[in-house]
Amino acid sequence: MTADEILRQCLDRLEGTVLVESWGERGIFYNPGHALKRGVYLLTIKDQDGANDRASQLDRPGIFRVNIGVRPDTYRTLFGPKPARPQAGGVVSLPCDFTALDQLIPHPVYAWMGWVCILNPSEEAFQRTWPLVEEAHGYAREKFQKRKR
């Protein structure tokens, strides 16, 4: 799958979502009617290394990473306890190959917040991951309601 196909699926299938491009990423936010200035992140796609995020080696030709913000309990079920927050510019301390393609893994920087990721997912892998995207959508919707109050 391409990054554009993933973004299109999210926008088409998840109500209340908008595409925002910032900080070298394209992000899907829950923000129905643009009620909040930015809305709430639920998924991002990053296709280049940044000053504080080089672990996935996204500067390799054609490589991109899909990042998904799941609930804390889901993260624990998938990967165990969340790691400690890394120092600025650092990577979480986990025994992972953050460059591996087509595998769901903890996010190299934001696993401490419960984010997971997959580099260059195949169609099959993305469809297996879709329930996590739907969960992230519901979680973002809950956060949005709290922020709107």
Side-chain angles (χ1 to χ4, degrees):
M1 290 194 80
T2 68
D4 289 339
E5 289 170 335
I6 291 167
L7 292 169
R8 177 58 34 219
Q9 270 195 41
C10 291
L11 292 168
D12 288 348
R13 296 172 66 184
L14 302 170
E15 60 87 16
T17 55
V18 296
L19 178 65
V20 176
E21 296 187 38
S22 60
W23 302 300
E25 294 181 338
R26 293 181 286 169
I28 300 292
F29 284 73
Y30 183 75
N31 197 9
H34 298 276
L36 298 177
K37 182 177 179 182
R38 294 192 61 85
V40 179
Y41 270 122
L42 64 109
L43 178 143
T44 66
I45 293 188
K46 188 170 178 80
D47 60 8
Q48 60 188 337
D49 286 338
N52 294 320
D53 186 353
R54 299 180 191 280
S56 296
Q57 298 175 8
L58 298 175
D59 285 347
R60 295 176 285 164
I63 302 299
F64 66 94
R65 186 179 67 215
V66 180
N67 310 297
I68 307 165
V70 298
R71 295 177 187 279
D73 286 345
T74 299
Y75 182 92
R76 277 190 294 280
T77 298
L78 292 168
F79 301 112
K82 291 189 286 185
R85 182 179 185 169
Q87 292 184 6
V91 174
V92 294
S93 180
L94 291 171
C96 289
D97 177 359
F98 294 117
T99 66
L101 303 180
D102 205 32
Q103 296 176 32
L104 187 69
I105 57 175
H107 189 286
V109 178
Y110 297 116
W112 68 274
M113 293 173 54
W115 280 68
V116 300
C117 65
I118 185 169
L119 278 70
N120 288 56
S122 62
E123 173 80 30
E124 181 182 346
F126 187 70
Q127 293 315 313
R128 281 193 315 268
T129 305
W130 184 253
L132 297 177
V133 176
E134 289 178 316
E135 175 183 312
H137 179 250
Y139 194 33
R141 191 171 47 238
E142 291 169 17
K143 292 176 184 177
F144 175 88
Q145 294 303 327
K146 288 179 183 175
R147 289 184 191 173
K148 259 192 90 176
R149 288 185 204 140

